[in-house]
Amino acid sequence: MTERYVLDLQEVDETQVAVVGGKGAHLGGLSRIEGIRVPAGFCVTTDAFRRIMAKAPSLDDRLDQLSRLNPDDREAIRTLSAQIRRTVEGIAVPDDLTAAITRALTRLGEQAAYAVRSSATAEDLPTASFAGQQDTYLNVVGPTAILQHVSRCWASLFTERAVTYRQRNGIDHRTVHMAVVVQRMVFPHASGILFTADPVTGNRKVATVDAGFGLGEALVSGLVNPDVFKVRHGEVVAKAIAAKQRAVHALPTGGTQEVAIDSRRQEQPALTDAQVVRLVQLGRRIEAHFGRPQDIEWCLVDDGFQIVQSRPITTLFPIPETGDQENHVYVSVGHQQMMTDPMKPLGLSMWQLTAMVAMHAAGGRLFVDVTRRLASPASRAGLLDVMGRGDPLVRDALETVLDRDDFVPSLPDAGPGGPPTGGASATIETDPAIVTELIERSQVSIAALERDIRTKTGPALFEFLLKAFAEHKRVLSDPLSMQAIMAGMEATWWLNDTLQEWLGEKNAADTLTLSAPDNVTSEMGLALLDVADVIRPHSEVVAFLQGVEDEGFVDELAKLAGGTEARDAIEAYLDRYGMRCVGEIDITRPRWRERPTTLVPVLLDNVRNFEPGAAERRFEQGRQKARQKEQDVLSRLRALPDGDRKAGEAKRMIDRVRTFIGYREYPKYAIVSRYFVYKQALLEEAERLVQAGVLPEKEDIFYLTFQELHDVVRSNQVNDRLIQQRKDAFRSYHALTPPRVLTSDGEAVTGAYRRDDVPVGALIGLPVSAGTIEGRARVILDIAEADLEAGDILVTTFTDPSWSPLFVAVAGLVTEVGGLMTHGAVIAREYGLPAVVGVERATRLIRDGQRIRVHGTDGYVEILP
C-alpha cells in the first residue's frame, strides 16, 4: 500500500505523467536511454499529493473561488493562492508516507545532499511548457529538511504565476496534481542548457549549448551571461565566450551560495569544443528517444555529463511532413491571404481541396512548397519578382536561403513546378464588358451550387461536394479571369514604375485607382454607411443596438419604432455580404450571417461619425480625385519630349487600371460565397450526427478533415479522442508565430527590408497607399471591439475584406502582414487612406492611443512624442 507513494526513477517512464508528473516521467524515460546518466533518485507520487489535499476539506471551497477569478485580477489571485499554499504547507505528513520517503532516502544515502523538484501532471507537455511554474530546491540535507521541502513543492502548485498560467491556458486547477522528484545532488564543474534545435531560428539541424561554471541556477536565474556554442553536423560552427564573474555553489550544510570567480578563469570557456560536441551527441540521442526537439539541463561532473532534466521545446514552429529526406522551402499562404491565425482541420482541408496549388499544413497554417521553382533559374526569377512586388520580406527571405549554396538544388529549366508564377499573360482588351461577363458567370455557377446542394445528404452530399470543388477550381482558374486580374496588377506596376521614371512621382497609381468601379470589397464598406443612414433617424433603434448581445437581435428590431426599415436594411446587407467574416479562408470561422453582432460596433461608429449620404459622397470624391490626377499626369506628360506618345501610353494604362483593378477583389468574394454554401450543408449533416448521438456538438466537425468527416457520416462512428487531441493542438497553435518562409530544417526565415532612407527609430514597412497622415493609433485585434473616432489610424495584425467597413471610418492604416496587392492595400488605395503594411510587430511596438505619423508613400511609421 505504502509503496505507491514512492517510486524509484528507474521504475517510471514517460507514460506515467499522471503518477509522477511531467518532470518525473521525463527523468524516468531519460534514465532508460543507453549512455545517458541521470542522478539517482525517486518520485513521491500524485497519490501522496491527493492524500494530503484530502486532509484539508477547506481547500475545496478555495479552489472553487480560485477558478471563478478573472486571470487579470492579480491582487485576488495573489491573496487566495497564498492562503492555499499556507494551508498545504501546514498539513502534517502522515506517518506511513513519512516512512516510505525515509526508506527511499536510506537506500540512496540518508545524509547525502538532494535536489527536491516539483513535478506537476500538466507540465512539459508537447503543447505547454510550464517552465518555471513550480519550484525546485537544491542541496537539501537530512530527512526532516527533505520532508519540509516536499510539502513546499506540493504548495508550489498554487504559486501566483502557476495559477495565472493555468487560468490563461484554460486548465482546471483540480485536474493538475503534484508529484515531487527527490534526486541526489551533483556538484558540477560546469552546467547549463542544451537546445537540440536553435530556439531562435527553429533550425532543427543546429543545436545550441549555454554553459557556465558551477550549478545551473546561475544561468537560469540570469545571474551570469553564459558561453554560447552552436553545433551543426558534429562541429562547433559558432561560439561566444562570456566573462563569467559569478557562479552558484552548494554549501556543505545545505543550500546554495553565490561566489565570485577568479578573474583568471572568467574568460575561460566552461566547456571545450570536444565536450560541447559530445554533449550534443547525447542530446541527439535524447531527442530521438522522445521524438521531438528537447530543452535539456546538464551538468559536467569529472569529465562526464549527467542529465538532470529534459522537456520538449514548445516554441518551435512545426515542419510540414513530406515523408522524404530532401530539402524543401515553403512560403506561408496566410501571409498572402491575410490570415495568419491558425485554422481548424476542416478549414485547412477545405482550402487544400479547393486551392489551385498543392498546400502543406503545419502548426494550423498552410504553406506552398516552392523548392522546384527556386531550383530552376527561369522559374526562380519569376517567383522572386512576383514575391518581391507583393511582399519584399518574402523575397528577401527566399534570397537568404538561396545564398546558402548547398540548400536549394539546381535543376535545369522547365522542371515541373506547377503553373507559371506570373499567371496568364494579360493580352485582353480594355473592355468593361469582360468584367461584367466574368461576374455574371460566377454568379450563375454559385446559384447552381445553391440549387443543386439542397437535396443532397449523407454520403451523397460528400460525393456532390467533390464535384463542386472541381467546378470551384474551374471557375477560379478561368483563363479570362486570370488575365483580368493580371491586367489590373500589371497596369498598376507599369504606372508606378513609368511615372516615377518620367515624372519623378512615387506611387502615382494610388490616386488613379480611387473609387475604381466593380470593387465588391470597397462597395461593402460603403454599403454599411447606407445601412447607418437608415438607422440614424430612429433613436429607439440606435439605443437598442447599443445594448445588443444576442445574435437573434435582427428579428427583435421589428418591435421598435423604425425597426422594420432597420431590419430590412441589415437583412439586405447580410444577404449580399453575410458570408464574410474575419479569417474567412477558414470555413469554420463564424460568418456575419451567423454572428451579426460582429457588425454592430462598426454600424454604431458609422451612425455617430458620419452625415447622411456619406457613402455616395465618398465614392464621388474619390472618382473626382482620380479624374483630376489623370488630367494632371497627362498634361505634365504632354509637356515632355515625345510627350504625346508618353501621354497616350499612360492614358491606355490608366483606362486599363480603372477597368480591371476592382475585379481583383471579386474572385475572393466568389470563393467565400461558395464556402458559406458548403458550410451550411456540412453543419446540417453535423446536426444529424448530433441527433443520432454520434457527436456531442455540431462544431466538433471543425476538428476533422473533410475526408474524416465523410468517413464519420458513412460509419456513424467518431473517434472522440482524436477530436480532443485536435482541440488541444489547435489551442497550442495560437502561441506560434507563422514564418513567411520556412525550410525543411525547421528554420523560420524572416527577411529584412534593407533600407537606409528611413529616419532613426521609425518602423519600416511596405508603402501600399500614398500620402502622409498623423493621428491617434487605434490598435484593434478584433473587429467587434472597434470604437473609432474621425481621424483615427487603424493598427492591426492583418486585414482581410471583412475589415473594409472599418476603412471608411479611419484616416490611415498600419498592418503587420500584407503586400502591394493584398486586400487591405487595394481597399486603402480605393478609399485614399495612407497605408503601410508588413510592419513587423506593429501591434506590440505601437500602443493604443499613441500619436503616430504614417508615411504611405515612403513606407514607414513614426511614433510621435
Side-chain angles (χ1 to χ4, degrees), residues 310-324:
S310 181
R311 62 168 80 91
I313 307 175
T314 57
T315 53
L316 300 175
F317 201 87
I319 307 170
E321 286 175 22
T322 55
D324 64 36

Side-chain angles (χ1 to χ4, degrees), residues 309-345:
Q309 195 168 327
S310 181
R311 62 168 80 91
I313 307 175
T314 57
T315 53
L316 300 175
F317 201 87
I319 307 170
E321 286 175 22
T322 55
D324 64 36
Q325 296 302 306
E326 306 292 313
N327 286 350
H328 294 272
V329 183
Y330 302 98
V331 171
S332 159
V333 172
H335 285 81
Q336 318 293 315
Q337 290 293 340
M338 298 299 89
M339 163 60 178
T340 52
D341 290 348
M343 293 166 72
K344 296 191 178 108

Side-chain angles (χ1 to χ4, degrees), residues 505-511 767-773 828-829 832-836 854-858:
E505 185 169 344
K506 283 183 183 175
N507 303 12
D510 293 0
T511 313
V768 294
S769 185
T772 301
I773 191 76
R829 289 194 290 272
L833 302 178
V836 180
V854 177
H855 295 263
T857 310
D858 294 312

Side-chain angles (χ1 to χ4, degrees), residues 752-771:
Y753 283 108
R754 308 195 190 283
R755 285 169 49 193
D756 51 14
D757 58 341
V758 169
V760 176
L763 310 180
I764 303 178
L766 184 65
V768 294
S769 185

Side-chain angles (χ1 to χ4, degrees), residues 834-846:
V836 180
V837 302
V839 180
E840 293 277 80
R841 298 173 55 238
T843 59
R844 280 167 280 182
L845 296 171
I846 299 170

Side-chain angles (χ1 to χ4, degrees), residues 3 5-12 19-20 23-25 27-28 31 38-45 97-110 113-119 142-143 146-147 150 179-184:
E3 277 313 304
Y5 292 134
V6 172
L7 291 171
D8 194 272
L9 273 182
Q10 301 283 342
E11 296 177 73
V12 300
V19 182
V20 294
K23 199 170 292 169
L27 281 168
S31 63
V38 175
F42 60 88
C43 299
V44 181
T45 66
L97 183 46
T98 301
I101 293 170
T102 309
R103 269 200 302 279
L105 286 171
T106 307
R107 279 200 305 276
L108 290 176
E110 204 169 284
Y114 289 87
V116 183
R117 298 168 179 270
S118 310
S119 179
I146 285 167
L147 282 165
V150 167
V180 182
V181 176
V182 180
Q183 242 180 326
R184 281 290 291 259

Side-chain angles (χ1 to χ4, degrees), residues 804-817:
S804 63
L806 256 62
F807 284 25
V808 298
V810 297
L813 172 71
V814 179
T815 67
E816 294 181 349
V817 177

